[in-house]
Every structure is written in structure tokens, then in C-alpha cells.
Amino acid sequence: MRKVPGVHSWIELLANPLREVVLARMRPRRYADGAAIHLVKEPSNDMYLIRSGRVRMSTESYAGAEVSFAVLHPGDSFGGIGVVDGMPHFISTYAVGVTELLVLHKPDFDELTAAYPEIWRALCLNLCYRFRVTYGLAVDAAVLTLQQRLARLLARLAYTNGQKDDAGSTVVPDISHEEIARMLGATRQGVSRALKSLEDEGSIQLSYRRIRIHDLEGFSAAYDSLAGGESVVPDYGKPGY
């Protein structure tokens, strides 16, 4: 897997002082835990950058079950597609915990891009990175088993937000079987069985809302080559927003 700066935010791809110019036009907004930020079919009027908290991106199946595409973290931006193409939102987003966002309204975005055309290159590059991620998920869903998809998801989460422990293992913190099931479009029971299989083979260790991967590089190498090219994951660094 390859960590790439700018996967998570087009603003991160801007050089200073332009990055500071863009940030100065954004306005803070706070959301309570579980509050909707925008819903499917609502107009796309704003772009967002997460300062604190998390944001869940999801939709509903025909049967009414929630399917989560991703959980975004501080430093992630979202909402850019609708602002650019003028079409309504095609997914819903919700705050996970108390969440603070920076919001860029469409009129401000239009003024900024007219004055600084280089913003378009940053946004285009960010969307290309995200297309790679989205295409990879589509390939996973088409050709891999649930356990294989789960392993690749855990590897992506570990590379993106994992924490090293004293034993050198990588810990994916604060995640439940239910949340993983929503991200994979699977049942919680199926995910629990697949997790237990990975634990039985010695790759991971399960505990309450924590998954420990003993050898992340070996684990990733075993599953990353199953389908498609090399996976791309965000390199958050220290954006300092």
C-alpha cells in the first residue's frame, strides 16, 4: 500500500500562501454527535474540511439498511464534487462525536478559483486519487470474498490511522464489528466470523473496539495483491488546521 499526501484533502495540495488564503475564506461550524451535515438529494452548496471529530459517509439500501462508505477524520475534505458539477448530494454525511468543520461556500469557491486557477489542479489531483480508491473498492466488491475484503479494509485503516504499540503491532482503534459491517455492506455476523478466521490464522488479535495487526507489512502484502493495482491510502502528516 502506498501512502500519498493529498488523498484526503485538495487543500493540503495547495502551497502557501494560497492555502492560507483558502482557509481564511472558510467558516467554522459545529455539529453534535449524530447530526446530519447534508443528506442525499439536498443541494450541494458547500465544501467542508474536518478540524475535529469524525464524519460518517453513508446511504441506505432499498431495504432501509445503512451502508457506510467511509468514516472521515480530521484533515479530510469532502463536498467538492457537488460544488463543481452543480448536482445534488448523492450520499449523506453525519457527525461522529462532536465535530467541528471549516465550511467553504460555493460563491467563495467560485471567486477563489477565478482568482487562483491553480486551485483546479489541486482539486483535480485530489479527485484522481479518490477515484483510484473508489475503483479499488469496486474491484474488491466484484472479485473478492468477504474475508479478503475485510483484510484489505483493515490494512487500509491501519496504514491510515493505526497506532503502534509497545510490541510493534499496529492497532486499529475505536471500531466495532457493526461499523465494519456497514463499511463492507455485509452483516455483522458475517464480519464477526471473518474476523475470527483472521484471528485463528494468527494475523490479528481482537479486543473491545480494537483490532491489533501483528505484522502490518506482511498482512498487507498477503492481501494487497489479490486484485487491482497497489492500494492508495491517505498520508495525513500534520496539516495543522
Side-chain angles (χ1 to χ4, degrees), residues 107-158:
D108 292 313
F109 174 77
D110 291 340
E111 288 183 13
L112 286 167
T113 51
Y116 305 99
E118 56 267 43
I119 290 176
W120 285 114
R121 184 182 186 281
L123 184 58
C124 182
L125 186 56
N126 171 252
L127 292 177
C128 286
Y129 288 150
R130 292 189 174 187
F131 179 80
R132 285 182 176 271
V133 173
T134 303
Y135 182 79
L137 295 176
V139 170
D140 286 2
V143 303
L144 300 183
T145 67
L146 175 58
Q147 182 170 324
Q148 291 168 336
R149 291 167 56 210
L150 170 62
R152 284 162 68 92
L153 172 63
L154 293 179
R156 287 193 294 267
L157 293 174

Side-chain angles (χ1 to χ4, degrees), residues 7-222:
V7 174
H8 59 291
S9 174
W10 61 273
I11 298 172
E12 182 70 12
L13 293 167
L14 298 174
N16 277 323
L18 179 53
R19 185 190 305 175
E20 297 302 322
V21 170
V22 172
L23 291 172
R25 297 289 287 270
M26 305 184 82
R27 298 292 178 263
R29 189 183 295 171
R30 289 175 64 87
Y31 291 86
D33 180 34
I37 299 166
H38 62 66
L39 300 176
V40 171
K41 298 182 181 179
E42 288 185 343
S44 301
N45 297 320
D46 299 313
M47 306 173 83
Y48 306 89
L49 178 67
I50 305 174
R51 293 188 70 180
S52 63
R54 294 184 295 164
V55 172
R56 185 176 74 253
M57 309 181 78
S58 64
T59 189
E60 288 188 355
S61 69
Y62 181 77
E66 182 184 11
V67 178
S68 295
F69 292 102
V71 176
L72 306 182
H73 298 265
D76 282 328
S77 65
F78 62 99
I81 293 177
V83 169
V84 172
D85 67 18
M87 298 180 67
H89 291 293
F90 57 91
I91 56 172
S92 298
T93 55
Y94 301 91
V96 180
V98 177
T99 299
E100 183 175 356
L101 306 178
L102 292 177
V103 183
L104 182 65
H105 303 307
K106 179 172 173 50
D108 292 313
F109 174 77
D110 291 340
E111 288 183 13
L112 286 167
T113 51
Y116 305 99
E118 56 267 43
I119 290 176
W120 285 114
R121 184 182 186 281
L123 184 58
C124 182
L125 186 56
N126 171 252
L127 292 177
C128 286
Y129 288 150
R130 292 189 174 187
F131 179 80
R132 285 182 176 271
V133 173
T134 303
Y135 182 79
L137 295 176
V139 170
D140 286 2
V143 303
L144 300 183
T145 67
L146 175 58
Q147 182 170 324
Q148 291 168 336
R149 291 167 56 210
L150 170 62
R152 284 162 68 92
L153 172 63
L154 293 179
R156 287 193 294 267
L157 293 174
Y159 268 102
T160 301
N161 291 298
Q163 303 167 359
K164 286 285 188 180
D165 64 11
D166 293 339
S169 299
T170 304
V171 177
V172 179
D174 195 26
I175 192 164
S176 69
H177 294 195
E178 183 67 32
E179 290 167 334
I180 293 172
R182 287 200 299 264
M183 295 175 74
L184 292 173
T187 64
R188 182 185 60 80
Q189 293 84 355
V191 165
S192 295
R193 287 194 296 269
L195 284 168
K196 186 62 169 60
S197 294
L198 290 174
E199 186 175 43
D200 289 344
E201 73 179 24
S203 298
I204 66 173
Q205 179 182 348
L206 303 174
S207 56
Y208 178 69
R209 294 192 67 87
R210 293 166 67 89
I211 298 172
R212 177 175 287 102
I213 301 175
H214 300 302
D215 176 12
L216 179 56
E217 289 189 7
F219 183 74
S220 174

